[in-house]
Amino acid sequence: MRLNDLLEQKKAAIIKEWFNLIVNSYPSDTAYFLKKQKDHFANPVGTTILHSLKPLFDEILNGMDHKAIVSYLDPMIRIRAVQVMFSPSQAVAFIFSLKKAVRSNLKKRENQDDHIINELIIFESKIDEVGLMAFDIFMKCREQVYKLKANGERNRVFRAFQRAGLVYEIPDGKRPGVMNVLKSSNTAVAPLDDRVD
Amino acid sequence: MENSRRSFLKLAGISALGLGTKPVLNAFASEEHKAEIQKKPEALKAKRWAMVIDTRKFESEEDLKPIVEACHKIHNVPEHTTKRHEIDWIWIDEFKHVFTNQEHEFVDDRVKYLPFLVLCNHCENPACVRVCPTKATFQRDDGIVLMDFHRCIGCRFCMAACPYGSRSFNFRDPRPFIKEENKEFPTRMRGVVEKCNFCAERLAVGKKPACVEASNGAIAFGDLYDSDSEVRELLKNNYTIRRKLELGAGPAIYYIV
Amino acid sequence: MNQKYMYSLIAVIVLILIAYVGVEAAGLQVLFGIILPYIAVLIFIAGFVYRVMDWASSPVPFSIPSTCGQQKTLSWIKHDKIDNPTTTTGVIIRMMLEILLFRSLFRNTKFALNEGPKISYVWEKWLWLVSLAFHYSFLVVLIRHLRFFLEPVPVWLQWLEEVDTFFQLGLPGLFLTGAILLGATTFLFLRRIYLPEMRYISLAADYFPLFLIISIAITGILMRYFTKVYIVGVKELAIGLASFHPTIPDGIGVLFYIHLLLVSVFFAYFPFSKLMHMPGIFLSPTRNLANNTRFKRHINPWNYPVETHTYEEYEDEFREKMIGAGLPVEKELPVVEKE
Amino acid sequence: MINPNSKERALELGHKPPKTDWMDTPTVYKEGIYCYAAKPARLEYVSLPNPRDWSCTAEDWQLPENWKEIILEGMKERLEKYRTFKIFMDICVRCGACADKCHFFIGTGDPKNMPVLRAELIRSVYRGEFTTAGKILGRIGGGRKLTLDVLKEWWYYLFQCTECRRCSVFCPYGIDTAEITIIGRELLNLIGLNIDWIAAPVAFCYRTGNHMGIQPHAYVDMLDFFTDEIENVTGVRCQQTFNKKGADILFITPSGDVFGDPGTYTCMGYMIVIHYLREVYGLDITWSTYASEGGNFGLFTSHEMMKRLNAKMYAEAKRLGVKWILGGECGHMWRVINQYMDTMNGPADFLEEPVNPITGTKFENAKTTKMVHITEFLSDLIIHGKLNLDPNRNDRLKNTFHDSCNPARAMGILEEPRYVIKSVCNNFYEMPRNTIREQTFCCGCGSGLNAGEDMELRLAGGMPRGNAVQYVHNKHGVNNLICMCAIDRAVLPACMGYWAPEVDVSGINELVANALILPGEKEKTVNLRDEPIWPKDVEPDEFYKRPSFPGR
Amino acid sequence: MLELVIKGSKKYWALIIGLLIVMGIGFGFWLWQLSFGLGITGMSRDVSWGFYIAQFTFLVGVAAGGVMVVLPYYLHDYKAFGRITILGEFLAIAAVIMCLLFIIADLGYPMRALNVLLYPTPGSVLFWDMIVLNVYLLLNIVVGWNVLEAERNGIPYPGWVKVLAIFSIVWAPLIHTVTAYLYCGLPGRGFWLTAILAPRFLASAFAAGPALLILLCLIIRRVTKFDPGREQIQSLAKIVAYAITINVFFFLCEIFVVFYSRIPSHMDHIRYLFFGLHGHGVLVPWMWTSISLMVVAIGLLVVPVTRKNEAVLAVACVAVFIGTWIDKGMGMISGGFVPNPLHHVVEYTPTIPEIIITLGVWATGFFILTLLYKIAVSVKEEVSEV
Amino acid sequence: MNDKNKIIIGLILFFVFMTLPFWYNMGKAAPVPETKLTEKAKLAKECVKPKEVMRAEHMQLLDTWRDSVVRDADRVYINEKGKKFGMSLSTGDDSCMGCHSNKADFCDKCHNYASVREYCWDCHIEPPEPPKEKK
């Protein structure tokens, strides 16, 4: 329990450093905006992170409630999942820099205390767990993007065609290969392509 | 090359800052060394100015009017036609008004009807100086409570603070109400407070206050801390009273009754 | 160190040095006091006219006002006559609000992300307020300077000065607009330096006029309150310029020539810079046009005929299918003889 | 929460190298941001220059040798032709008011998506190539030469602008980035640089009359199918007429509604309304297969292309001899109609000044263009009590309304749609005030950026809109986003899916049709989407017993 | 948020234009005063402060009274007042601005007003009054604006705002205490020379301020869609009831001390006000009216039945407001100057130009109040709608 | 759209205002005021400080003077050259106006020319015009 008290005490300093580490891990062009931001202007990423770190830290420290953690992580990662400047590792790396922030905020004496070290190992494994959760969220978001990318438009148009009876579904039990035979002998769609406005 | 350019820029920066200020700085610099400000040699000096009014020497208002006139004339005090706008540096009032707390039913008839001269008391602890938000009213080392008309904002806090009612305010431009202007003394403008200045401008050139001069010896003026002074002489030999002593303001006007 | 503002800062410092050396060392008062101001005014007028006429020479082919309110429509729907004007009066009011009160900047919001995350758009008042303060005090300062050019000084100008020095602060009395001008330009400069996005988009050409105006204000304030110049000489010079009898009176400090050179540069620079936003705003088609193109035809002077896909060509291509689908056609199918 | 002061101190600890000037920051083409290049067939079909197979990520763009001259010559020509362009090149003071108004900047955080910087990409070339000061001072004067890198930067960022004009509302000089983007894209088109998602609809539209490339018989087939669908729901057959000479009114709407969900429901909505008016009032409204497209991707290509595509509307109206034209729910279509059509292809003196034959209302505001917006028309009908409406049938929906950019900021049609919506449904909630009306946020996909390959860009750009919808969803349980633009209907479902799941998207006419009581209709239990008309948490019996329920 | 003031109903604009006209006339007369001097007022050598300073004193009270809705909310977490703290803060802003304008109007030489800053004099209470008033103004602007803006944007207000809000709570009594010290530290003015002056001022402030606030709340409820709330109004009414009772109690204490000690220099002023002195007594009917109004108001406010009836409550609040206004706005200053230090009775009545300028300042205050309340109420309406 | 006329009218209006100084003076330079010295001043040859300094800074000098006279009763100024002056604007022969008794010519001309309104004379009484200087 002693580590928890220590962390609770040094929370402000740890979060400050955590944020700092996160910002410094960004591509320089973005970091410039994150770092220099005086008010909430600039990149939503910076502010989202800023606002989510404390509750997230509290949750790691005290609760580790899966649902709560996801709810703090989701907004941070959801935005980054569509900001192509981040590689997947960059998108979730910030979780792990909490380890560094915690360690550098413990005094030497505290760092050598066996009891604390043991607790620290447990704490860090919780961070790993959160990191993995972050990765899950990131992947979920990316999958969603790709689903939208791959199917969204086509599906909608296709459904409309299908409903209009312009498309034949393959009847069960028939030999595959004869697909999507159009109803009329005339092609209904001009041969250029299938575009929606 | 890089170096010389940098030093050039440095030089330029410095001269940009110092630009144009040089001649002026010179002027002031030389002034500091040589120019001097002094008091006039003939100026009257005292540790604490005080005034003793020997009321025994007055009988009626007629005796006092010339004194008031003398003061008001040299100080360009206007004579307003509207009572509300009245300005007085020195004026005349009855015993019961001047010494509000010492009046009683059985007071001596002479005193009861005797006109008294009233003016600023140049208090030791002046409330007006205390309250002034701009230091426009201030106390000089020699005890004179003086006004800097240039600085007065006309808030009239001093008028509320003065327990003697010695202060007046220029409710309007005084100039049209000054019969004869004394060119040697400025008038005031609308919107500032004024009061008796113990003729500080006369003391500076070695003259006694105008009222003293006009009183034919009924008013004495001098240094309270000079044991040889006329005022000390009078205080030693006569019983004197001062106004509203209980307020602790320490008025410098003594009355021999 | 930001190169862009350093360039501008150095440029202004060099200008100051030129005037200083030119007057103090080389005695080129005639150049700085007469020749350059005349040239500057000439460049200003010619350049200004040239630029505006150049804009005028390009037509406005389409009416594309930004509509910021409800259009004129059915009689019972309240039409926003100012933000979506349909008449000249509406446009004039809209332009007046824009020019006199900076209507669009008044609308400005600042994007902010809050816990949640929740996006909010907070009214951003400072840019609007300071810009207003800056432009109006600049205008007053400019008008006040007419006292050097007009003799006798008109009464209205004296009133203006009286109001501007209402508070007796210092000797001679502090002109409030001068102080506001300096304060506002400093704010505008600091904004460019401290806000990252402003710093990113700012060019040397954004800093230069700011430094120029700040320097002009500082030299002006210095001359009035700190290191005095011979004001009668200044007016003599100014009147001389205005009446085409230029003279160089003796005894005017070098500070004045620096001030004058900076002002000359300001005027000469004006037509070739972003400062042309002053006339530009009057000509901005998204603001000075009425949104009335559905009931009043806007003419494009260079409208030219274009190639289109006509109905005839269309029917020719799809006639068979159209007939098949029961669509009416202009021409029936040709009877194709079978061979 | 970290207190702001300590945050600042923390930030100062960073030792990142100073960032580069924007002119020195190279453009890196990121997957998910750019759209694919136009295929040669599209360009050839409408005789646009330099058709070829190329890719924007390839080193060699296969440009004509004199591409630079072409662009500069084109710029010069446009500076002389468009005062907007010239003025907007000259008067920007970079005050920064526009910076955080752009949905792409908010969403992507890419500084070059600040409107001012997007314009500076072109302005810098203008200064460096056309102004004396810029030529002399070069970089210090903010000027630069036109190089291949600059060109690539143009292409990348000009196709990250949806021409939504939100920035122009806040600009103290009214500088309209859309105008700059339009002309920028026009310049790119001079050397065959376009994206396929724009070039294809342009070519399709030119040939078949609509973006989808739907041939006339298929168009009719599709609407016939909808007729069946409607009959299933209402029991009434809403047969439409096509290319009918001598009809009263020609109806033109974007073709996206004919083939794409959920626009199809809006399309059915039009059909029901048209049928109702024919049955009840004998009003003859006809569709055209030749002018079967309201949208105009020519606007995203060049002014000339816009004019070529737009010409069909008047031509068809003239051929059919109708009195006036009725326009469906579309965004940029209405920008073109409001601000360009009459100037380019008018005067339409062969048409009559539009009058609502049912109410007698003169549409004064469409006197010369002779084209009326369907919400103007509907508002007029509703206020005169000409439509038999039962708003309870939309009780399943809690609605909010997305002002589409072009109708809001290039036309100012704000109250009509709200009036119609409030007349046909009981639950309506506005989104936060700085995200609606003239300050509305773009869907993130306008001006031809609604391709599939730039999904990341679209979602990032749709973030502000998504956030505002999510806000009313959380606060009021809003589950339906109404919009009056075909692009919105096509793209907002994806945007909502990512940012505000559980919120559906529909057009206004879909709700109107749901509420409209058709003569001879059967007892209605489902809406056009085959969903029960009562709210999810309410039993049908209870629903019909509601005191608010009129005359059932 | 400022854009909210330019959208309003016809009545709103009529009010605005009406106030602007009064302001314009007042300003015109002030220009006349500026060029002629304070001679156009009824003030004299003996009564050197008049209507202006009296209004100033009263309005400092109104400004300080605004804190009575802010304090329970921030210090005692009384949630109900959260709805209307902004009304208290905005009332304070308008009142302080009126105070400053009255000071300016009262200055003989306003062009030199900045001398107070140029030659700071910590010994002068007026110097401190200038500081406390301006700081209070600033605090209320910053706190009020930020809290309202946060509410409008649906986000919590920044933490530092709460710190400032609590600071402003401490500050509010300070402004009235310092204002009382302007008077009660003066020798030779028996009427003011009493330690209970500051408590008396505060008591009347906490009565008059909330009473006005209640009236404003009732008006807002009538003319807008925003309802400040019944509970809120009743809580305020209780505050008014206590404060006005304490005010009268303090006054009785004063009466006892003065008349039991029978020190003439203290007694004469009160005698002048309530009974007349040496045949002078213009204020006598006014003062009795004031006392009666306050007593009646106590009756109406203390009895729950009458207090809970909002129509009666409104009457009681009007009584409190007018009662305290006469007490401070007329009696307090004149009473201090009459009789004068030489025991002459010189009476004071304001002149017409003086009253017009006063009206002009009041109009300015209500103009600002209208604009601020327009903003506040529009935001409240907006928030409850969206 | 033909709006050239409007633009030209606007330009003309703008330049009429901008070139107001040229119109106002109509090519004639108003005479520069000359500071006239009284005989007494001419005889004295020099003022408290050199002419250039006095010309530019007399107001500051007077400002410091008035403070020391009013607040410290210091009334004598001895300049660098040892010459004594009464530190007063208008009181005494050795005051400013004692020497420059021609206010209209000495003060007003320049002040009017430069549009500088001094408020000295709101209180201080201006000296009577010496009859011989008047013509």
Side-chain angles (χ1 to χ4, degrees), chain E residues 92-113:
Chain E
I93 292 173
V96 175
I97 289 175
M98 279 193 265
C99 291
L100 296 174
L101 289 176
F102 273 120
I103 294 274
I104 296 286
D106 188 64
L107 287 186
Y109 215 81
M111 298 77 140
R112 292 190 190 143

Side-chain angles (χ1 to χ4, degrees), chain C residues 16-29 31-32 254 257:
Chain C
I16 293 173
L17 282 178
I18 289 172
Y20 184 61
V21 174
V23 170
E24 286 288 86
L28 295 170
Q29 272 87 341
L31 177 67
F32 292 102
V254 64
Y257 288 99

Side-chain angles (χ1 to χ4, degrees), chain A:
Chain A
M1 279 332 282
R2 280 177 56 207
L3 178 74
N4 268 19
D5 296 341
L6 265 175
L7 293 181
E8 195 68 55
Q9 255 173 40
K10 298 179 177 182
K11 188 155 79 182
I14 292 172
I15 292 173
K16 199 195 294 177
E17 186 164 348
W18 191 14
F19 182 74
N20 194 27
L21 285 167
I22 294 170
V23 166
N24 278 325
S25 69
Y26 275 99
S28 69
D29 214 37
T30 318
Y32 171 73
F33 275 88
L34 294 182
K35 269 167 39 178
K36 289 291 175 184
Q37 80 176 43
K38 285 270 189 284
D39 35 47
H40 300 289
F41 184 74
N43 201 315
V45 182
T47 351
T48 314
I49 292 171
L50 199 63
H51 286 310
S52 305
L53 289 188
K54 186 177 168 280
L56 188 57
F57 182 79
D58 282 341
E59 203 53 49
I60 298 174
L61 199 58
N62 302 319
M64 276 311 272
D65 175 44
H66 188 273
K67 236 180 165 175
I69 290 179
V70 168
S71 76
Y72 301 134
L73 285 176
D74 190 84
M76 281 195 265
I77 294 172
R78 187 163 291 269
I79 294 176
R80 269 189 286 185
V82 293
Q83 291 189 319
V84 291
M85 65 181 90
F86 304 106
S87 70
S89 65
Q90 278 173 329
V92 295
F94 71 94
I95 305 285
F96 302 101
S97 46
L98 175 59
K99 290 184 187 178
K100 202 174 165 191
V102 167
R103 277 183 187 263
S104 71
N105 268 289
L106 294 178
K107 291 198 189 88
K108 210 173 185 183
R109 185 170 43 77
E110 294 158 354
N111 254 332
Q112 286 163 346
D113 184 326
D114 278 352
H115 189 69
I116 287 185
I117 288 174
N118 281 336
E119 280 187 307
L120 194 61
I121 290 170
I122 297 171
F123 185 77
E124 289 189 345
S125 71
K126 288 205 267 183
I127 296 177
D128 293 338
E129 209 177 308
V130 173
L132 294 173
M133 280 154 80
F135 190 69
D136 279 349
I137 297 171
F138 181 83
M139 275 316 292
K140 219 175 71 200
C141 290
R142 288 306 304 172
E143 275 165 12
Q144 209 177 345
V145 171
Y146 277 104
K147 221 183 275 168
L148 291 168
K149 226 177 195 177
N151 305 322
E153 305 294 335
R154 182 173 292 272
N155 255 0
R156 225 173 293 125
V157 177
F158 181 73
R159 268 209 317 277
F161 276 68
Q162 204 176 25
R163 282 189 2 223
L166 296 175
V167 175
Y168 278 133
E169 192 54 69
I170 306 161
D172 288 338
K174 284 236 171 132
R175 181 170 62 91
V178 194
M179 295 177 71
N180 297 2
V181 185
L182 290 171
K183 181 176 157 189
S184 72
S185 52
N186 304 321
T187 1
V189 180
L192 285 171
D193 206 336
D194 52 345
R195 297 282 155 174
V196 207
D197 81 329

Side-chain angles (χ1 to χ4, degrees), chain B residues 7-236:
Chain B
S7 60
F8 168 74
L9 286 179
K10 212 164 152 188
L11 193 76
I14 293 166
S15 25
L17 285 174
L19 266 183
T21 49
K22 219 173 67 187
V24 183
L25 283 180
N26 285 347
F28 275 117
S30 56
E31 181 197 10
E32 244 173 72
H33 288 299
K34 290 175 192 163
E36 235 184 288
I37 292 174
Q38 289 179 347
K39 292 200 170 31
K40 290 211 169 178
E42 66 269 31
L44 298 180
K45 294 183 187 76
K47 265 186 135 167
R48 170 138 178 74
W49 290 113
M51 187 177 269
V52 179
I53 301 174
D54 190 347
T55 60
R56 294 169 303 188
K57 293 187 179 162
F58 300 122
E59 280 177 4
S60 68
E61 247 182 82
E62 294 310 308
D63 297 338
L64 302 179
K65 273 188 179 157
I67 298 174
V68 174
E69 256 167 46
C71 168
H72 285 186
K73 198 176 156 194
I74 69 158
H75 292 121
N76 289 327
V77 175
E79 271 184 49
H80 282 292
T81 43
T82 318
K83 180 86 175 74
R84 275 213 314 272
H85 302 157
E86 191 178 86
I87 290 175
D88 293 309
W89 283 34
I90 179 167
W91 73 100
I92 302 158
D93 212 333
E94 293 172 39
F95 179 77
K96 65 172 180 186
H97 288 299
V98 177
F99 297 95
T100 44
N101 49 352
Q102 295 180 26
E103 176 225 6
H104 55 89
E105 229 175 299
F106 313 107
V107 83
D108 167 25
D109 261 6
R110 184 189 72 86
V111 171
K112 195 169 180 180
Y113 298 112
L114 187 70
F116 281 78
L117 276 177
V118 197
L119 67 160
C120 172
N121 275 300
H122 295 275
C123 307
E124 186 119 35
N125 287 312
C128 55
V129 170
R130 208 155 51 230
V131 300
C132 180
T134 61
K135 300 194 186 88
T137 294
F138 60 99
Q139 192 174 26
R140 279 199 337 199
D141 290 342
D142 56 8
I144 299 182
V145 175
L146 213 54
M147 276 204 65
D148 185 345
F149 302 122
H150 304 109
R151 199 183 276 188
C152 174
I153 61 172
C155 71
R156 310 190 297 294
F157 202 3
C158 50
M159 295 177 75
C162 177
Y164 302 108
S166 304
R167 292 178 158 261
S168 310
F169 178 73
N170 287 281
F171 281 98
R172 57 185 302 185
D173 183 14
R175 285 232 175 136
F177 301 92
I178 302 168
K179 275 192 197 130
E180 199 183 324
E181 284 172 345
N182 172 18
K183 311 256 183 292
E184 299 286 294
F185 198 78
T187 66
R188 269 69 59 196
M189 59 181 58
R190 68 191 142 65
V192 297
V193 174
E194 62 180 275
K195 67 167 195 74
C196 156
N197 65 349
F198 253 10
C199 285
E201 85 283 2
R202 288 171 63 88
L203 299 178
V205 295
K207 294 184 197 162
K208 289 218 166 174
C211 53
V212 178
E213 264 184 17
S215 70
N216 295 321
I219 304 177
F221 184 78
D223 189 349
L224 200 59
Y225 291 109
D226 177 358
S227 50
D228 298 332
S229 70
E230 194 188 347
V231 289
R232 281 289 289 275
E233 198 66 28
L234 282 168
L235 291 179
K236 198 158 55 177

Side-chain angles (χ1 to χ4, degrees), chain F residues 30-87:
Chain F
V32 184
E34 277 175 59
T35 37
K36 277 193 196 156
L37 295 177
T38 56
E39 290 305 317
K40 191 177 169 189
K42 275 182 198 156
L43 276 175
K45 278 199 176 146
E46 60 183 36
C47 202
V48 180
K49 284 172 188 248
K51 189 170 113 189
E52 288 70 30
V53 179
M54 288 311 288
R55 216 162 48 180
E57 316 227 352
H58 56 275
M59 71 298 271
Q60 254 116 348
L61 188 77
L62 286 169
D63 197 27
T64 47
W65 277 17
R66 78 178 178 193
D67 270 357
S68 51
V69 169
V70 174
R71 303 186 86 86
D72 307 327
D74 291 336
R75 289 177 173 252
V76 179
Y77 184 89
I78 306 167
N79 75 0
E80 300 152 44
K81 293 181 178 160
K83 199 174 166 193
K84 290 187 180 179
F85 296 89
M87 291 164 67

Side-chain angles (χ1 to χ4, degrees), chain F:
Chain F
M1 185 174 143
N2 191 3
D3 53 1
K4 264 199 178 166
N5 291 340
K6 284 186 221 159
I7 294 171
I8 290 171
I9 291 170
L11 268 181
I12 290 172
L13 285 177
F14 176 66
F15 279 106
V16 165
F17 176 75
M18 284 303 285
T19 51
L20 184 67
F22 299 115
W23 307 119
Y24 199 86
N25 293 298
M26 295 300 275
K28 261 193 260 171
V32 184
E34 277 175 59
T35 37
K36 277 193 196 156
L37 295 177
T38 56
E39 290 305 317
K40 191 177 169 189
K42 275 182 198 156
L43 276 175
K45 278 199 176 146
E46 60 183 36
C47 202
V48 180
K49 284 172 188 248
K51 189 170 113 189
E52 288 70 30
V53 179
M54 288 311 288
R55 216 162 48 180
E57 316 227 352
H58 56 275
M59 71 298 271
Q60 254 116 348
L61 188 77
L62 286 169
D63 197 27
T64 47
W65 277 17
R66 78 178 178 193
D67 270 357
S68 51
V69 169
V70 174
R71 303 186 86 86
D72 307 327
D74 291 336
R75 289 177 173 252
V76 179
Y77 184 89
I78 306 167
N79 75 0
E80 300 152 44
K81 293 181 178 160
K83 199 174 166 193
K84 290 187 180 179
F85 296 89
M87 291 164 67
S88 171
L89 179 66
S90 53
T91 310
D93 283 347
D94 55 353
S95 69
C96 303
M97 302 317 287
C99 196
H100 304 286
S101 51
N102 52 341
K103 170 175 171 283
D105 280 335
F106 188 73
C107 306
D108 296 350
K109 270 192 180 167
C110 291
H111 276 132
N112 289 342
Y113 185 66
S115 184
V116 177
R117 201 190 78 80
E118 75 284 38
Y119 42 84
C120 314
W121 312 108
D122 288 358
C123 296
H124 293 268
I125 299 164
E126 45 189 274
E129 209 57 35
K132 57 178 175 178
E133 302 266 341
K134 262 191 178 171
K135 246 203 154 178

Side-chain angles (χ1 to χ4, degrees), chain D residues 227-489:
Chain D
T227 315
D228 298 341
E229 287 269 287
I230 294 166
E231 194 178 3
N232 286 343
V233 174
T234 64
V236 178
R237 215 169 157 72
C238 298
Q239 198 64 53
Q240 308 293 308
T241 64
F242 299 92
N243 300 359
K244 184 179 168 192
K245 283 198 176 179
D248 296 321
I249 295 166
L250 169 64
F251 178 65
I252 300 178
T253 194
S255 62
D257 285 345
V258 179
F259 274 80
D261 278 354
T264 48
Y265 302 113
T266 310
C267 187
M268 290 185 227
Y270 300 138
M271 293 165 69
I272 291 174
V273 170
I274 289 170
H275 175 76
Y276 180 94
L277 296 177
R278 186 192 312 279
E279 284 300 299
V280 180
Y281 303 106
L283 188 62
D284 191 2
I285 301 177
T286 192
W287 301 64
S288 164
T289 57
Y290 168 64
S292 53
E293 179 59 66
N296 189 333
F297 273 40
L299 173 64
F300 315 139
T301 309
S302 69
H303 285 88
E304 182 178 304
M305 187 54 75
M306 164 171 43
K307 184 176 172 182
R308 287 171 72 183
L309 298 182
N310 174 263
K312 286 185 179 176
M313 289 196 186
Y314 278 155
E316 183 69 343
K318 191 175 183 180
R319 184 181 76 86
L320 296 179
V322 297
K323 296 194 178 98
W324 47 273
I325 312 172
L326 182 66
E329 300 174 33
C330 184
H332 69 275
M333 156 181 169
W334 274 98
R335 171 157 198 212
V336 173
I337 293 164
N338 187 38
Q339 299 192 329
Y340 297 101
M341 178 155 85
D342 195 26
T343 303
M344 291 186 309
N345 289 318
D349 37 21
F350 43 85
L351 298 175
E352 292 175 14
E353 288 180 12
V355 174
N356 186 340
I358 299 165
T359 64
T361 305
K362 273 191 180 177
F363 294 101
E364 296 279 352
N365 63 335
K367 213 159 67 184
T368 64
T369 307
K370 278 120 176 165
M371 188 151 176
V372 176
H373 195 283
I374 190 150
T375 62
E376 292 172 338
F377 186 54
L378 287 174
S379 320
D380 184 52
L381 288 172
I382 292 171
I383 200 155
H384 286 92
K386 300 294 181 191
L387 297 183
N388 190 6
L389 296 167
D390 177 4
N392 294 287
R393 292 177 178 186
N394 281 316
D395 271 1
R396 185 185 183 79
L397 305 174
K398 292 193 169 170
N399 302 293
T400 188
F401 178 60
H402 161 69
D403 285 277
S404 306
C405 321
N406 283 305
R409 285 187 283 263
M411 186 178 183
I413 183 161
L414 308 172
E415 293 303 335
E416 296 91 333
R418 285 179 170 76
Y419 178 75
V420 174
I421 291 169
K422 286 176 187 168
S423 307
V424 299
C425 75
N426 294 322
N427 308 315
F428 177 71
Y429 305 95
E430 289 279 16
M431 282 183 273
R433 70 188 180 287
N434 284 332
T435 68
I436 53 169
R437 295 179 190 266
E438 76 276 4
Q439 298 193 22
T440 187
F441 267 110
C442 184
C443 57
C445 317
S447 83
L449 301 187
N450 49 334
E453 61 269 19
D454 62 340
M455 186 57 79
E456 282 87 344
L457 176 73
R458 289 172 47 184
L459 292 177
M463 198 261 269
R465 176 40 83 220
N467 196 284
V469 174
Q470 182 67 36
Y471 177 77
V472 279
H473 171 71
N474 291 342
K475 192 159 179 189
H476 305 291
V478 163
N479 58 10
N480 190 39
L481 175 66
I482 304 177
C483 49
M484 56 162 174
C485 166
I487 292 185
D488 283 338
R489 284 188 289 275

